[in-house]
C-alpha cells in the first residue's frame, strides 16, 4: 500500500486529490496538511511514502517545508504540485530535495502515475522538465568544471546504470537493457545514490548533467559510459 500525505491550503484541492488517488487500488491517503509547518509535523509523525506538496501556502510554503523535511531525514518522496509552470519554482523545488514536479492541470492518470513512480523509487522528471534541467545545466559555469570526485567511487556497472537513469529509464527498463534482474538494478541504483550522496534518482539525473557525466547529445559515441569513464 502506497501511503500518501496531501499538503495544500485549499480543502477542495485536497479532497479532489484524495478522490483521485484513493480510486486506485494500492494507494491510501494517510494524512492532510494545509501549510508547510503542518506538513513537516505530519511527515515526521506518519512516515508517508509520498508527500504531494503545494508550492504556495500560508505560514510556510512548500519549498521551505520540503527542504526542512529533507534536512530532518523524514520519510517520503516529495511530489511538488503547482498551478504555475515557472522555472524558478521548478529549480527551487529540485534544489530543496523534491523528487518530482507536476502541474495541477495534469490529468488524474498522471497524478496516479507520478505518485506510483515516486513510491517505487523511480523519480519523476517529465521530458519537458528534463529538457529544461539539461538546458540550465549545460549553460552554467559549473557544467564545465571537472566532475565531482565521488564519481570515481562508482563501479563500471554503476556508471552504466547512472547513464540509463539519466536517460529517463525506469528500473524495469534498465533491467531489460542490461540483461539484469530488476532487484539487481535497484541495488545498483541504491549503491550509486549512496556513493554520490544523492537523495533520489531525480537528483542523480541533475547531478549527471551538472557534472558532465552525461551530455545532451547522448547518441554521440563520445557520450557512452565507457567513453566517459575513459576521459576520467
Amino acid at each position: 500500500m502506497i501511503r500518501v500525505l496531501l499538503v495544500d491550503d485549499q480543502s477542495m484541492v485536497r479532497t479532489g486529490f484524495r478522490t483521485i488517488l484513493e480510486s486506485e487500488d494500492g494507494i491510501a491517503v494517510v494524512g492532510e496538511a494545509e501549510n508547510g509547518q503542518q506538513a513537516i509535523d505530519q511527515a515526521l509523525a506518519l512516515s508517508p511514502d509520498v508527500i504531494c506538496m503545494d508550492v504556495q501556502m500560508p505560514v510556510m510554503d512548500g519549498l521551505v517545508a520540503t527542504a526542512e523535511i529533507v534536512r530532518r531525514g523524514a520519510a517520503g518522496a516529495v511530489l511538488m504540485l503547482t498551478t504555475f509552470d515557472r522555472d524558478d519554482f521548478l529549480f527551487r523545488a529540485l534544489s530543496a530535495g523534491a523528487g518530482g514536479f507536476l502541474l495541477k492541470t495534469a490529468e488524474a492518470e498522471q497524478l496516479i502515475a507520478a505518485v506510483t513512480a515516486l513510491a517505487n523509487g523511480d523519480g519523476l522528471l517529465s521530458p519537458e522538465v528534463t529538457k529544461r534541467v539539461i538546458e540550465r545545466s549545460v549553460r552554467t559555469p559549473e557544467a564545465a568544471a571537472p566532475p565531482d570526485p565521488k564519481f570515481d567511487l562508482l563501479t563500471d556497472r554503476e556508471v552504466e546504470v547512472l547513464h540509463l537513469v539519466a536517460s529517463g529509464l525506469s528500473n524495469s527498463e534498465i533491467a531489460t537493457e542490461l540483461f539484469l534482474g530488476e532487484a539487481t538494478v535497484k541495488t545498483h541504483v541504491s549503491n550509486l545514490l549512496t556513493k554520490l550522496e544523492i537523495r533520489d534518482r531525480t537528483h542523480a539525473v541533475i547531478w549527471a548533467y551538472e557534472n558532465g557525466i552525461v551530455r545532451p547529445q547522448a547518441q554521440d559515441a563520445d557520450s557512452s559510459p565507457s567513453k566517459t569513464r575513459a576521459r576520467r
Side-chain angles (χ1 to χ4, degrees):
M1 182 67 68
I2 298 173
R3 296 161 46 83
V4 179
L5 170 63
L6 299 178
V7 185
D8 197 291
D9 61 323
Q10 298 184 48
S11 61
M12 290 184 65
V13 172
R14 298 197 305 272
T15 298
F17 286 161
R18 177 184 284 271
T19 300
I20 290 170
L21 293 173
E22 293 193 333
S23 69
E24 184 75 6
D25 291 339
I27 297 179
V29 175
V30 296
E32 297 185 15
E34 61 183 27
N35 60 61
Q37 184 57 61
Q38 290 182 5
I40 295 170
D41 296 339
Q42 294 273 44
L44 292 170
L46 299 174
S47 297
D49 300 304
V50 179
I51 304 169
C52 293
M53 180 83 75
D54 188 21
V55 172
Q56 296 181 306
M57 295 179 291
V59 182
M60 180 187 291
D61 68 35
L63 298 169
V64 175
T66 296
E68 185 64 12
I69 286 170
V70 172
R71 187 187 72 80
R72 295 196 187 188
V78 176
L79 173 62
M80 195 66 72
L81 296 160
T82 180
T83 307
F84 309 100
D85 186 12
R86 290 171 41 177
D87 278 0
D88 57 337
F89 283 172
L90 166 62
F91 290 107
R92 286 180 62 196
L94 294 175
S95 295
F101 187 92
L102 192 68
L103 294 179
K104 289 184 180 179
T105 53
E107 299 293 333
E109 293 78 8
Q110 290 177 292
L111 176 61
I112 292 171
V115 167
T116 302
L118 288 182
N120 290 336
D122 282 338
L124 179 78
L125 279 180
S126 68
E128 295 80 7
V129 171
T130 300
K131 180 175 183 292
R132 286 150 68 182
V133 169
I134 293 171
E135 287 174 346
R136 179 177 172 124
S137 297
V138 299
R139 69 168 179 258
T140 57
E142 290 80 7
D148 190 317
K150 289 191 289 289
F151 176 69
D152 289 328
L153 299 176
L154 302 183
T155 65
D156 288 342
R157 178 63 86 185
E158 288 164 354
V159 171
E160 286 184 287
V161 171
L162 176 60
H163 274 258
L164 295 174
V165 167
S167 297
L169 272 63
S170 67
N171 285 345
S172 60
E173 291 169 333
I174 294 173
T176 299
E177 179 76 15
L178 298 180
F179 303 101
L180 298 173
E182 190 169 346
T184 301
V185 172
K186 288 182 178 180
T187 298
H188 286 312
V189 172
S190 177
N191 288 343
L192 71 87
L193 293 178
T194 298
K195 290 179 180 180
L196 298 178
E197 300 178 7
I198 297 173
R199 177 178 172 86
D200 54 41
R201 64 195 296 137
T202 295
H203 292 83
V205 175
I206 298 170
W207 185 94
Y209 280 104
E210 287 182 340
N211 283 276
I213 305 304
V214 177
R215 306 188 188 285
Q217 293 75 28
Q219 72 275 11
D220 188 331
D222 285 343
S223 296
S224 66
S226 60
K227 293 284 187 178
T228 302
R229 174 70 80 175
R231 281 200 299 268
R232 296 285 289 125

